[in-house]
Structures are given as C-alpha cells and as structure tokens.
Amino acid sequence: MGEVIGAGLLAHVPTIVLPEQTRRELNEGREISLVTGLRRLRAEVFDSGSYDTVVVLDSHWATTVEFVVAAQARRAGLFTSDELPRGMCRMPYDFPGDPGLARMIEARAERHGTWITAIDDPYLPVHYATVNLWTYLGVPERPWLSIGVCQTGDAEDHLRLGRALGEAIRDSDRRVLLIASGAMSHTFWPLRELRAHESSDPAHIRTPQARAADLERIAWLEAGDHARVLATMPEFMKYRPEAGFGHYLMMLGALGEESCMARGRLFGSYENSVGTGQAHLWFDRPEGGFPAPKETHA
C-alpha cells in the first residue's frame, strides 16, 4: 500500500530563480530566506528521503471544466514564462513523470463526484509553480507529476480532488511527497508603486490585515491545527489567497482534512513578494502516517 510520507505548502515566487546578485539588489543586500529555506529542504527531505514520486499541486495551472493531471512519461525542454520572460527565460527542465499514478487518480473521479482527466500530450505546457521548485528540489530521475487547480471549482471541489489523489496514492505502491505550490494572501501592489515594495520584508505585504491573516494561519499550521484553517476559509478569502488556496485544499484533502494534525516546520521566514505573502511550511509524516482521505458524499 502506498502513502504520503511528507507534504509542504511551498512558495514558488519568480525571485527565487533570479541570479543571487539580483536577489540581493532587490532585498536591501540580503539573501531571501525562501532560497535558503529551499536549499535546507532539499538537504533534509528531498535528498535524504526514500520516496518514489513528487506530486505538485500547481496554483499557476488553472483549468476550467475539469481537473487535469499531467500523465507524460517524461517532461523536458526550456521554460520561458509568458508572465515574466525577463526573469524566467529558457530555464532547462528534465524529469520523468508517473503515468501510472496519473491514471489511478483519474479513475477515482466519479467516486468523489468530480471530473479528472489525465493528459499525456507532449505539448501540454508546464508552469513555473512546478519548474521553479523542481529547479531547487528535483533529484535526478525522480518522477514529478503536476495537477492543476480548477478556476470554476470551489473549496469542496478542491478537497474532492485531494481525496481522489490520496485514495489513489494509498491504492498504489508509491511513497509520495506532496507539494502545494503557491502563496498565501495574494494581492500585488499597483504597477506604479510596485518597485518600492520588492524587499522581502513582511512590512511590504499589501495590507496589515492580510499580513495578520497569513501569520495567524502560519501559527495554526505550525501547531497542526489544519481544522481551524479549513473552518476559517471564508474569512481568509477576503485576502485573496492564491488560486483560492486550492493548492493547499487539494493537499489537505489527500491528508484527511480536519483529522490531519501534522505540525508544520518553517523553512525560512514569512516573506513579501511585491505585496503577496510567501512561506515554506513542511509537514513531516506523523507517527502512524497521515489520516486516510475522507469519503465523498453527494
């Protein structure tokens, strides 16, 4: 039987793949802790862990009429971002996928009252919420598989995807690391003001209220209080979490939702990215494993 052996809410901001000199120029001479946090996470988890597949819940990949799972045997090429082509330009990527697990996730859609399609089209675009983290965390020849958020889905829809994912993992023989790739509060500064707020200091988060909401949830996640995060999603939506926090909700759906009490470890500090709230939180496998995903009832 397969299982999730670790999971994380990780930031993928474009700043992390800029040259170090540029990062320091934007951050008052200091390295951003999101970079040092990923390096530490690589050393402590991704290099040392005995896992088979990494599943990325990609907040930048927004589908419309269904959830889509990347099912290619391999993804390789050069990535240039249409959003930020000056900073993310011709970035090489090359990693195997996990078509078997992708098809198992797809097969559990009906049971959970949702729509999931596994797509193996070699021209299916990849997104920087996957590529940026693979650049830091990807171990050669270790499979990575991405799943997009669905822009027409609500919180329950994303939890249902997570339940199907968790069930597929448990029915497989895979030991899996889950990455919920995305931000917390997610409102940018307006363009004419933006360049005055490029420092990673949380003082530059778009509003004090958004910063407070992020820090409150980080404290809950460090304490393992996922139930409280889930119960207060309507309140958090006031601060426009990235992708409706769908990346986190999919992860939590795979980990048992309110039953999950895994404590988060911060890798680096809570930081600003032109108004948005960013953090790396990692949830180690609890003794006895993560709770089983819930059943879905109509």
Side-chain angles (χ1 to χ4, degrees), residues 66-101:
E66 62 198 345
F67 289 100
V68 177
V69 184
Q72 299 91 338
R74 189 170 205 95
R75 306 188 85 177
L78 298 175
F79 174 79
T80 294
S81 168
D82 58 347
E83 180 186 347
L84 292 152
R86 179 167 53 88
M88 291 180 287
C89 178
R90 295 188 296 278
M91 295 170 55
Y93 63 93
D94 186 353
F95 50 84
D98 192 334
L101 182 58

Side-chain angles (χ1 to χ4, degrees), residues 11-18 23 32 34-35 38 132-133 136 280:
H12 59 245
V13 291
T15 321
I16 64 177
V17 295
L18 292 173
R23 295 196 302 265
I32 63 174
L34 295 177
V35 167
L38 285 174
N132 286 5
L133 292 179
Y136 278 91
H280 300 314

Side-chain angles (χ1 to χ4, degrees), residues 121-133:
D121 186 334
Y123 297 101
L124 183 70
V126 67
H127 296 267
Y128 73 75
T130 294
V131 173
N132 286 5
L133 292 179

